[in-house]
Amino acid sequence: MDEDIEGDVGSLDVAALEEIREEFLGLDGLVDHAGFDSLLDPTELRIHVDDGIGDAMWCRFDIRWYQTGCYSVHHTDGNGVDFRFDHHPKPDAPDRHFHHPPDADPVTASCIEVTEPRLVARAVHQLWRRAYKTKETTSLNTAKNPP
Amino acid sequence: MTTSDPPENLWEGDVNETVVEEWTDETTAFDRVRQVVDVTTEPQSAVEIADRARVSPPTARKYLSTMAEDGRVKHISTDAGSQYMRAPQMLAMRRIAAIHREHTKAEIRESIRELKEERASIMEAHEVGTIDELTLALDAGDEGWNDVARWRQIEQNLEIAQAALALYGFDPDDSHAAAVRTAESTTERRERGTFGDDASRSTA
C-alpha cells in the first residue's frame, strides 16, 4: 500500500470509479481489462494495459477516488516504473500533486487541473499516451504539448 | 461501449483544455449532465452542475428535473432555490445487485464477519468508539487518516453486504418453486439469487 493520505477524504466513490473504468475502456484498445479488486470490499480500480512505456511489456493504473473529489492514480509497469497523479491533503505539497517516476518521488504540483473523474481519466490517459509514444517519462507532468 | 484504436496524434496545447473539448465533442448535453450528477455527493444548484457539465443552466435544469422524476437524482428545495445530487439508493442498488449476482450467501456472511473484525481492530488501536471520535483525535499529517478512510469504507461495505444478504429472502415471484420445476440442478441458481440472470455487469 502506497497511501499517503494525510486528511479526511471521505469514502471511496465506486460510482466515480465506474465512470473512470468506462472512460479507459473506451479510450484505448491497449486496455486489456479493468475492474475492482473486490465487489464486497472494493479498495481500488485496476486498469490493466497490454503494453508499457519503453520496453515495459505491460502497465497498470491503480485508481482510488473519494467522495470529496480526492483521488490517487498510481501507474506501475513491468519495469517497476512508478508515478502518481494525486489530489488529497498533503501538508508538505499542493493538494493536487505529482509523484515523479521512477520511484514516485519527488513530489511537485500536478499539471492536471480538471476535476471531474472522466476528465481526470482522459488527462492521465493523454499524458501516459505521450510518454508511451515518445518512450520517455520526463514530460509526464507537463500539460503543454509539444512540451 | 466502444473501444477505439489507440489515438494516432498527440494533443496540441494544454491537456486540460483538450480533454474538455474531446469530452464535449463525444457526448450529448444529457450524457454530461447525467455523468456529472452521478458523481455529485453534496447538493448543488443547476447553475453549478451546468458549469461542470459544460451545458447552459436551462438545459441542466431541464435534464435534472427529468432525472429527479426517474429517481436517479435527488431534488432538494432550499430557500436559495433547487439543489440536486445523485440519489444514493441508485448506487447502492447497483452494488447490491452485483454482489448478489456474483457471490453466495456464505461468501457474503464471511465478508461481513471480516469487515466487523477489522473495524474492531481499528477501534481498539485508536481507543475510540466512533469515526467522529477518531477524526477529532487526529491532526493534519497524522498516519491515522488512512484508518478514517478505511473505517468509512468498512461501514459502507457492511451496509451494502447486509442489504445483499437480505435479498436472499426476497422472492415475490416464488422463483425457487419455479426453478425446482424447470431446472435439473437448481442449487446453484438458488444460491446466486434473484439477479442471477441479469445481463448487465458492473465490473469485469
Side-chain angles (χ1 to χ4, degrees):
Chain A
M1 187 93 59
D2 54 29
E3 285 283 4
D4 61 346
I5 287 170
E6 295 168 74
D8 198 351
V9 294
S11 301
L12 198 75
D13 191 339
V14 172
L17 288 167
E18 278 184 0
E19 292 205 344
I20 292 167
R21 175 174 172 271
E22 204 177 290
E23 286 296 320
F24 268 96
L25 287 171
L27 281 171
D28 202 319
L30 281 175
V31 174
D32 180 62
H33 63 285
F36 291 96
D37 51 339
S38 157
L39 282 179
L40 285 160
D41 186 17
T43 62
E44 62 186 13
L45 172 70
R46 293 182 183 153
I47 314 273
H48 298 262
V49 184
D50 252 350
D51 204 353
I53 300 167
D55 60 0
M57 303 287 285
W58 58 269
C59 72
R60 197 181 73 231
F61 293 92
D62 296 333
I63 307 177
R64 291 150 194 262
W65 194 285
Y66 299 92
Q67 287 185 355
T68 48
C70 288
Y71 61 80
S72 169
V73 181
H74 175 194
H75 166 283
T76 190
D77 68 16
N79 290 344
V81 173
D82 289 301
F83 61 84
R84 274 203 334 266
F85 290 98
D86 280 6
H87 178 197
H88 60 77
K90 191 167 171 62
D92 52 353
D95 280 2
R96 278 203 287 271
H97 54 269
F98 179 67
H99 293 253
H100 287 258
D103 303 318
D105 187 60
V107 179
T108 57
S110 169
C111 76
I112 298 179
E113 290 161 12
V114 288
T115 54
E116 300 299 325
R118 285 177 189 267
L119 294 175
V120 172
R122 281 172 181 265
V124 169
H125 174 257
Q126 290 277 18
L127 294 163
W128 172 81
R129 192 79 212 177
R130 176 174 59 190
Y132 175 72
K133 203 161 177 163
T134 60
K135 305 186 194 319
E136 59 91 15
T137 57
T138 48
S139 304
L140 265 171
N141 190 36
T142 305
K144 286 267 179 296
N145 194 63
Chain B
M1 193 179 307
T2 55
T3 298
S4 44
D5 287 333
E8 278 305 308
N9 298 314
L10 297 171
W11 74 100
E12 280 182 17
D14 188 307
V15 74
N16 294 287
E17 289 161 23
T18 303
V19 295
V20 172
E21 278 165 28
E22 285 179 355
W23 185 49
T24 50
D25 285 350
E26 293 169 21
T27 52
T28 64
F30 181 84
D31 286 340
R32 292 196 299 283
V33 173
R34 181 179 54 75
Q35 291 173 1
V36 162
V37 79
D38 272 358
V39 294
T40 302
T41 57
E42 297 285 338
Q44 284 195 335
S45 69
V47 173
E48 288 170 293
I49 289 170
D51 185 50
R52 291 168 56 205
R54 277 78 176 175
V55 302
S56 72
T59 301
R61 208 166 281 120
K62 182 178 76 182
Y63 293 146
L64 286 166
S65 26
T66 308
M67 285 185 261
E69 281 169 25
D70 294 343
R72 188 177 194 108
V73 166
K74 190 171 170 183
H75 172 247
I76 301 137
S77 295
T78 71
D79 292 342
S82 287
Q83 299 212 303
Y84 304 88
M85 62 185 291
R86 69 183 182 197
Q89 303 91 325
M90 293 293 286
L91 296 159
M93 278 161 63
R94 267 158 60 190
R95 278 196 64 193
I96 292 163
I99 288 170
H100 192 68
R101 190 167 61 229
E102 303 288 337
H103 288 283
T104 63
K105 234 171 165 173
E107 286 166 349
I108 299 173
R109 284 216 182 90
E110 175 63 13
S111 170
I112 290 173
R113 197 186 58 75
E114 285 170 6
L115 289 166
K116 283 183 173 168
E117 257 178 37
E118 194 183 343
R119 180 174 63 185
S121 72
I122 293 175
M123 287 175 173
E124 201 179 272
H126 295 279
E127 296 178 341
V128 293
T130 65
I131 295 176
D132 285 345
E133 279 175 43
L134 179 52
T135 56
L136 287 173
L138 293 174
D139 292 318
D142 280 356
E143 282 188 10
W145 289 109
N146 281 328
D147 283 342
V148 172
R150 180 60 191 151
W151 193 343
R152 288 192 205 285
Q153 186 63 37
I154 290 172
E155 293 293 346
Q156 201 184 71
N157 290 341
L158 275 172
E159 282 185 44
I160 299 275
Q162 273 151 352
L165 198 57
L167 266 186
Y168 281 91
F170 180 73
D171 191 9
D173 298 333
D174 201 13
S175 67
H176 288 194
V180 169
R181 283 196 303 275
T182 55
E184 288 176 14
S185 169
T186 58
T187 317
E188 180 75 358
R189 183 172 305 190
R190 284 210 304 272
E191 275 296 301
R192 297 265 163 195
T194 322
F195 294 102
D197 296 324
D198 194 328
S200 67
R201 299 267 157 188
S202 69
T203 60

